[in-house]
Amino acid sequence: MNKLFTLLFLVGALNTMAQNIPPALKPVVVGRTAKKDTTTESDTSKENKEPRYFYVSLNTNAFVNTKGGFAKRFSPALEFGRTYGIFDIGLAAGQFNFIGSDTLRFLEFRATINVFSKGRFAEALCLGGGYVFRAKQGMITEICNSINFNISERVALAVTQGYYFFDGTNNSRSTQYMGFALTYNFLKPHSVNLQRKKKAIVSDN
């Protein structure tokens, strides 16, 4: 019996001592935690995790204040560029078909900013400037806006409306156009950028 009381006394004493140990002297138990996938693409900025990726866009515009058939009004262009968050910088190459006998191929630098987005829809504003080869009104500037619909994370369709301004040595003019643009974003599979894009287009926030 005495041995039992002695054992109970020792257990109680050890328990009291364990409760009074200072926190700094207590051992730290490190447990295993689940690893979270935080893989970031090389084309994502380190400063603010801004997505950066390349894109290609097919623009099919038609002038709305020009005489003549569709062949004269149609103005296709192919744009290749890079996205920096809500800002796109691209170079477009295309052809105009309405300046009479001039050869109508052009190159244009375009800058586009996404001014509003909600789910799959977005609105953008673009400014551009370039040169029409062998044309009397060789210098061009552009201002346009677009309503974009994200079909998927990589593919978007836009309705565009804007104006071209043509300047030459002896004369100048402007014209209005409307059209469609089909864009493909070169997003890497299973990337952070792709997941963010997917989350953004299905979000109601």
Side-chain angles (χ1 to χ4, degrees):
M1 183 65 69
N2 290 334
K3 291 182 179 180
L4 178 61
F5 283 121
T6 303
L7 180 62
L8 292 175
F9 175 78
L10 291 175
V11 171
L14 291 173
N15 185 43
T16 302
M17 292 175 61
Q19 292 179 357
N20 293 327
I21 294 176
L25 299 179
K26 291 183 178 180
V28 178
V29 179
V30 180
R32 293 184 178 180
T33 57
K35 291 183 66 177
K36 185 178 180 181
D37 185 11
T38 56
T39 303
T40 303
E41 293 185 42
S42 59
D43 54 2
T44 301
S45 66
K46 296 180 180 179
E47 297 82 6
N48 55 7
K49 306 303 181 184
E50 179 183 76
R52 297 179 179 179
Y53 51 86
F54 292 100
Y55 70 89
V56 62
S57 181
L58 175 63
N59 304 318
T60 57
N61 300 324
F63 298 106
V64 296
N65 62 347
T66 302
K67 296 180 180 180
F70 182 75
K72 271 194 171 183
R73 296 171 181 265
F74 185 55
S75 176
L78 188 66
E79 178 182 346
F80 181 78
R82 187 168 172 84
T83 293
Y84 298 86
I86 63 172
F87 190 65
D88 298 342
I89 299 177
L91 182 66
Q95 183 170 343
F96 297 125
N97 292 317
F98 73 100
I99 316 179
S101 59
D102 286 337
T103 300
L104 313 175
R105 294 181 179 86
F106 69 91
L107 281 177
E108 180 189 11
F109 173 82
R110 302 177 87 244
T112 305
I113 185 169
N114 184 7
V115 296
F116 171 80
S117 62
K118 178 69 174 179
R120 291 183 179 271
F121 293 91
E123 183 178 0
L125 173 69
C126 77
L127 297 173
Y131 182 74
V132 185
F133 297 100
R134 295 172 54 188
K136 296 177 181 178
Q137 300 166 338
M139 301 300 297
I140 57 170
T141 53
E142 178 189 9
I143 181 171
C144 70
N145 65 291
S146 63
I147 298 175
N148 309 281
F149 176 75
N150 290 284
I151 301 173
S152 68
E153 295 83 8
R154 292 186 173 91
V155 181
L157 180 66
V159 179
T160 60
Q161 183 271 335
Y163 295 86
Y164 278 115
F165 301 90
F166 300 88
D167 290 303
T169 303
N170 299 317
N171 52 33
S172 62
R173 62 165 295 173
S174 64
T175 187
Q176 183 182 5
Y177 69 83
M178 293 191 69
F180 298 94
L182 183 65
T183 300
Y184 182 83
N185 300 310
F186 293 95
L187 292 167
K188 300 177 182 178
H190 311 294
S191 66
V192 172
N193 284 346
L194 183 65
Q195 296 303 318
R196 287 176 177 170
K197 186 77 171 179
K198 182 177 181 179
K199 183 178 180 180
I201 66 178
V202 299
S203 175
D204 292 328
N205 297 328

